[in-house]
Amino acid sequence: MERRKFLQNMGFGSLALPLYSCVAPALMNFDTGIGEEILPKRLQPGDTIGIVSPSGAIFESEPYEIAVESMQALGLKVKLGEHVKKRYGHLAGTDEERAQELNAMFKDPSINAIICLRGGSGAARIIDLLDYEAIQNNPKIFVGYSDITALHLAIYKKTGLVTFHGPLATSTWNIFAVEHFKDLLFEAEAVQYSNPVDKGGLLTQTNNRIRTITAGSATGELLGGNLSVLTGLMGTPYFPTNWEGKILYLEDVGERIYAVDRMMSQLQLGGVLEQISGFIFGKCSDCEPGGAGGYGSLTMEEVLDHFIKPLNIPAFSGTMIGHISDNFTIPNGIRTEMNAEEGTFKLLNPAVR
């Protein structure tokens, strides 16, 4: 009943139909080729960034302080969402509160960009409560990763707004993360992404190595995110249906290898893999074999090779995307050129205006 009232209050009809049946057709068909991507404005020192919490709750005060201080150290003013410190079970407030907070940030003319406090789970619970027309009419930088993948994909599908898979407000804002964030969102550079070269006194690099799955170069629109969240949206009105020519990027954390294998099967059976022009896999942190029947396990390398090599498209793994401290900020919806032998990819256009 509360959800129905929320939809009615948002102006979505007395029958409280799901949002996707009430918005204008242009909002529903972006990924079928109707319309163009929308670029948000770049950030400038002194701009205000809104911190929202559309997924999990935080249970101590210090992470909020660190998040605010990190944004201020970037030269930004900070406005906390109305419900950002609330808690409903493991969630940062009820679905209605979290959706209202995000909708309000997009509508607020004093807010120049929006960053998510943390991931966790719960973002998919609010995607049918978002005001996509307001988001499309008030395009802003929107940043986050992990569970925030659900919001990235839904916003992409419904509006065409370019959003950013990047650090959360509570992430580790080290030099690596800050430089990529600033180059992309402050300086409006067409960024080239490559892993840091650091042998650490050894004869060869052992950390952050790139593995070429299939050599070659490809050009296409970047789209992807967290593997488990992405596959969880398949079959819903919020999952992009047109993957033709796109470069799919993926990452995950804490998944058993057999679960990764199952999710890659889902992408194959759902027709996503057969459409893409290139494949980039970041880090799967703490992804161990686990007990799938007790007879051993495939390796992560074997899983990726099984699904990707037969596609005969440029593909590599090991890039700096994932639940890691040295994390790229990358845009969804911008054309990109990748080189699988070098393990690099470069934006063909800036992602902000």
Side-chain angles (χ1 to χ4, degrees):
M1 182 59 69
E2 289 303 315
R3 199 177 198 88
R4 180 180 295 270
K5 287 181 180 178
F6 180 88
L7 287 165
Q8 290 173 349
N9 291 337
M10 290 290 292
F12 296 132
S14 60
L15 295 180
L17 296 173
L19 179 58
Y20 57 82
S21 66
C22 303
V23 296
L27 296 179
M28 295 180 61
N29 294 305
F30 172 78
D31 75 328
T32 64
I34 298 175
E36 298 180 355
E37 76 275 0
I38 301 172
L39 300 184
K41 286 184 179 180
R42 72 183 71 186
L43 278 168
Q44 299 182 40
D47 280 352
T48 299
I49 190 165
I51 297 180
V52 297
S53 193
S55 297
I58 286 181
F59 302 94
E60 297 177 340
S61 61
E62 188 173 273
Y64 294 103
E65 298 169 3
I66 292 173
V68 170
E69 291 170 16
S70 295
M71 296 301 99
Q72 290 172 338
L74 288 169
L76 301 171
K77 299 174 184 176
V78 178
K79 182 174 181 178
L80 292 177
E82 179 184 357
H83 305 293
V84 75
K85 293 186 177 181
K86 289 192 175 178
R87 214 163 75 208
Y88 174 67
H90 70 285
L91 302 169
T94 65
D95 295 348
E96 291 75 19
E97 287 172 336
R98 288 178 291 120
Q100 178 190 350
E101 178 176 82
L102 186 53
N103 287 333
M105 283 289 185
F106 271 103
K107 294 176 183 178
D108 186 342
S110 72
I111 299 297
N112 303 101
I114 303 167
I115 190 168
C116 298
L117 185 69
R118 62 157 296 183
S121 67
R125 293 171 59 124
I126 71 170
I127 56 178
D128 64 333
L129 300 177
L130 297 185
D131 187 341
Y132 293 101
E133 186 171 2
I135 293 171
Q136 187 179 61
N137 292 334
N138 300 277
K140 299 175 183 181
I141 289 170
F142 176 72
V143 189
Y145 78 104
S146 191
D147 190 53
I148 309 305
T149 295
L151 300 174
H152 289 312
L153 294 177
I155 291 171
Y156 173 88
K157 171 69 182 287
K158 298 297 184 182
T159 73
L161 175 63
V162 172
T163 63
F164 301 91
H165 182 283
L168 300 156
T170 53
S171 289
T172 302
W173 288 89
N174 58 20
I175 293 174
F176 183 96
V178 168
E179 286 182 348
H180 281 89
F181 186 88
K182 283 188 170 182
D183 287 347
L184 185 68
L185 300 180
F186 281 80
E187 303 301 327
E189 293 183 10
V191 176
Q192 173 153 333
Y193 299 87
S194 58
N195 280 19
V197 178
D198 183 4
K199 295 180 182 179
L202 303 176
L203 291 176
T204 190
Q205 183 157 336
T206 58
N207 292 326
N208 299 319
R209 291 177 61 88
I210 291 295
R211 186 177 77 90
T212 300
I213 299 172
T214 305
S217 298
T219 300
E221 198 177 88
L222 268 179
L223 189 62
N226 181 269
L227 174 61
S228 56
V229 176
L230 185 147
T231 53
L233 284 189
M234 292 181 71
T236 75
Y238 304 95
F239 186 76
T241 53
N242 180 14
W243 291 85
E244 190 66 38
K246 288 182 171 55
I247 294 175
L248 171 65
Y249 71 91
L250 297 171
E251 61 84 26
D252 219 317
V253 62
E255 293 288 351
R256 299 301 189 191
I257 293 176
Y258 70 83
V260 174
D261 182 76
R262 181 179 65 240
M263 291 182 281
M264 291 298 296
S265 294
Q266 191 172 355
L267 289 175
Q268 180 188 61
L269 296 172
V272 172
L273 297 184
E274 67 185 25
Q275 298 182 59
I276 60 176
S277 64
F279 178 79
I280 298 172
F281 196 86
K283 308 290 187 179
C284 198
S285 307
D286 300 320
C287 294
E288 303 297 335
Y295 293 99
S297 171
L298 294 168
T299 65
M300 188 67 70
E301 187 172 314
E302 288 172 326
V303 169
L304 294 179
D305 286 354
H306 173 81
F307 290 102
I308 301 303
K309 278 195 171 183
L311 303 175
N312 198 30
I313 59 173
F316 68 92
S317 64
T319 196
M320 310 301 288
I321 305 173
H323 289 66
I324 52 178
S325 296
D326 293 347
N327 201 2
F328 288 146
T329 301
I330 57 177
N332 284 301
I334 294 294
R335 284 183 61 77
T336 303
E337 183 177 15
M338 61 171 286
N339 185 312
E341 291 171 274
E342 296 178 359
T344 63
F345 55 106
K346 176 178 173 56
L347 305 184
L348 298 181
N349 299 293
V352 293
R353 53 188 169 88

